Amino acid sequence: MTIDLRIEEKHRIDRKRRASRWALFSNGVLLVLKVIVGAVTGSVAVFAEVVNSAADLVGAFIVYHSVKRSDEPPDETHAYGHGKIENLSGIVVATLIVIGGMVTIWQAGLRLLHPAPLVKIDWAVGVMAVSAILNAVVSSRLLAVGKSTESPALIADAHHLRTDVLTSIGVLIGLGVVRITDVHSWDSVTAIGVSFLILKVGYEVARDAVDMLADRALPEAEIRLLEEVLRNNPEVRGFHRLRTRKAGSQRHADVHVLLDDDYPLVVAHRLAEDLEDEMRAALPNLDAMVHPEPYAEETRHQRDEHGFTDQNMRV
């Protein structure tokens, strides 16, 4: 890795960590404000936001440490690096989100059965407005950094906070209806609606994390870039068994390439190294491995042992 690449990688890691620290700080501030206002007003909708912000804070803490850990280089016990730690953090965050949503639905149901008047609604309205604005700013920043650094943990946290913007607006509307109509049951109805939105977010975060933990292949457009690198090299007679996956922001790809049978081992090794460099240049954060094979011998083996034809060897 050149000096420029090392500097670029360090800059990428620093941006991820700064963004996760901002999320941690903002979630902590909002949680304190919502706890105070929820205690003063007695609003179950604000309580829903307290539970949501508590999950946000714990999730932001997990994301911050997973981002730090996932960027550590491979070691003896983690030869493929630590990228999947970011995806594991998504499972934990999703679990917290779902639990928070279910607790809030339970609390809102109890409040519907046993109504209680709200007080100092203006306080709650003010805090929900601040929450919506702050989460909108922080989520936009997280999403931008998450996409540019390809961090699934930051992207998941950004989408979660964007949903928090909607839930805060929903609570604002519910409190406004309570104030206008003086029908306090709207507070509980709003809390239930917000909770179902929270459950939806938890499901989506968990689905994306599980998908990547299951070693789903890279997007088709990225696979085509790697195939183009292989096809554009005149010394490559064909290739097969191109396998790809992603762990956190780190991509992995391995492929078998077919070379002329009379290539010396040193030449085949040099070509494999060159192809790996070209693949890494085509896709950022890629760990590439090229396995060279003799063209005639491998095609004979595939035909006799596996019933493959030349069409199975991409050229």
Side-chain angles (χ1 to χ4, degrees):
M1 184 180 288
T2 65
I3 294 177
D4 288 342
L5 288 176
R6 286 197 296 268
I7 293 175
E8 182 180 342
E9 177 68 7
K10 184 178 183 303
H11 179 62
R12 183 184 69 85
I13 293 172
D14 289 342
R15 291 184 66 205
K16 288 170 62 176
R17 293 182 180 180
R18 283 198 302 270
S20 61
R21 282 196 294 267
W22 265 110
L24 192 60
F25 173 75
S26 66
N27 283 321
V29 171
L30 289 178
L31 177 60
V32 171
L33 290 175
K34 290 175 184 179
V35 167
I36 294 172
V37 171
V40 171
T41 63
S43 168
V44 71
V46 174
F47 173 77
E49 282 291 285
V50 168
V51 174
N52 197 22
S53 288
D56 290 346
L57 182 61
V58 175
F61 182 80
I62 293 171
V63 167
Y64 173 67
H65 284 280
S66 70
V67 164
K68 290 178 61 178
R69 179 72 171 147
S70 67
D71 285 317
E72 293 180 4
D75 53 36
E76 292 184 1
T77 56
H78 299 85
Y80 290 95
H82 303 81
K84 285 192 176 183
I85 290 177
E86 287 200 51
N87 307 116
L88 287 172
S89 74
I91 297 293
V92 177
V93 170
T95 302
L96 293 172
I97 293 171
V98 170
I99 292 174
M102 294 175 66
V103 168
T104 305
I105 291 174
W106 175 60
Q107 287 291 327
L110 290 178
R111 182 60 63 87
L112 277 175
L113 295 175
H114 307 285
L118 304 183
V119 296
K120 298 184 178 180
I121 297 178
D122 290 343
W123 288 30
V125 170
V127 169
M128 289 302 103
V130 170
S131 175
I133 294 171
L134 184 57
N135 278 332
V137 172
V138 175
S139 65
S140 295
R141 176 62 178 167
L142 281 181
L143 190 60
V145 175
K147 287 183 175 180
S148 64
T149 61
E150 298 186 281
S151 168
L154 290 182
I155 292 173
D157 207 21
H159 285 304
H160 183 198
L161 289 179
R162 283 199 165 181
T163 302
D164 289 352
V165 175
L166 298 178
T167 61
S168 295
I169 293 174
V171 173
L172 266 173
I173 294 172
L175 292 172
V177 172
V178 171
R179 178 159 187 170
I180 294 170
T181 64
D182 203 33
V183 178
H184 294 267
S185 59
W186 279 109
D187 180 57
S188 299
V189 173
T190 301
I192 292 174
V194 167
S195 298
F196 277 111
L197 187 56
I198 292 172
L199 291 177
K200 178 177 179 292
V201 173
Y203 164 75
E204 291 172 349
V205 171
R207 180 197 61 197
D208 293 342
V210 169
D211 203 27
M212 196 168 290
L213 285 171
D215 285 339
R216 181 177 181 175
L218 294 177
E220 187 63 32
E222 296 185 0
I223 293 176
R224 285 198 297 269
L225 283 176
L226 298 179
E227 291 177 342
E228 186 178 348
V229 168
L230 299 172
R231 289 194 177 99
N232 287 343
N233 192 302
E235 295 183 271
V236 175
R237 300 282 303 275
F239 62 93
H240 64 126
R241 295 192 66 188
L242 173 59
R243 302 185 301 177
T244 64
R245 64 185 179 91
K246 198 172 184 181
S249 59
Q250 301 161 8
R251 296 175 174 84
H252 297 269
D254 59 82
V255 63
H256 292 213
V257 298
L258 306 178
L259 310 176
D260 287 337
D261 291 52
D262 57 356
Y263 272 18
L265 178 60
V266 172
V267 174
H269 172 72
R270 183 265 306 162
L271 179 57
E273 293 282 347
D274 290 345
L275 287 171
E276 289 172 357
D277 288 341
E278 292 175 26
M279 292 168 70
R280 283 191 285 266
L283 284 180
N285 303 324
L286 177 69
D287 180 9
M289 179 174 292
V290 172
H291 175 66
E293 297 175 333
Y295 175 77
E297 175 61 24
E298 180 61 19
T299 51
R300 181 204 63 75
H301 170 77
Q302 293 292 336
R303 182 182 63 250
D304 295 346
E305 300 296 329
H306 305 291
F308 284 3
T309 66
D310 287 347
Q311 292 179 347
N312 296 108
M313 304 295 180
R314 303 181 192 179
V315 295

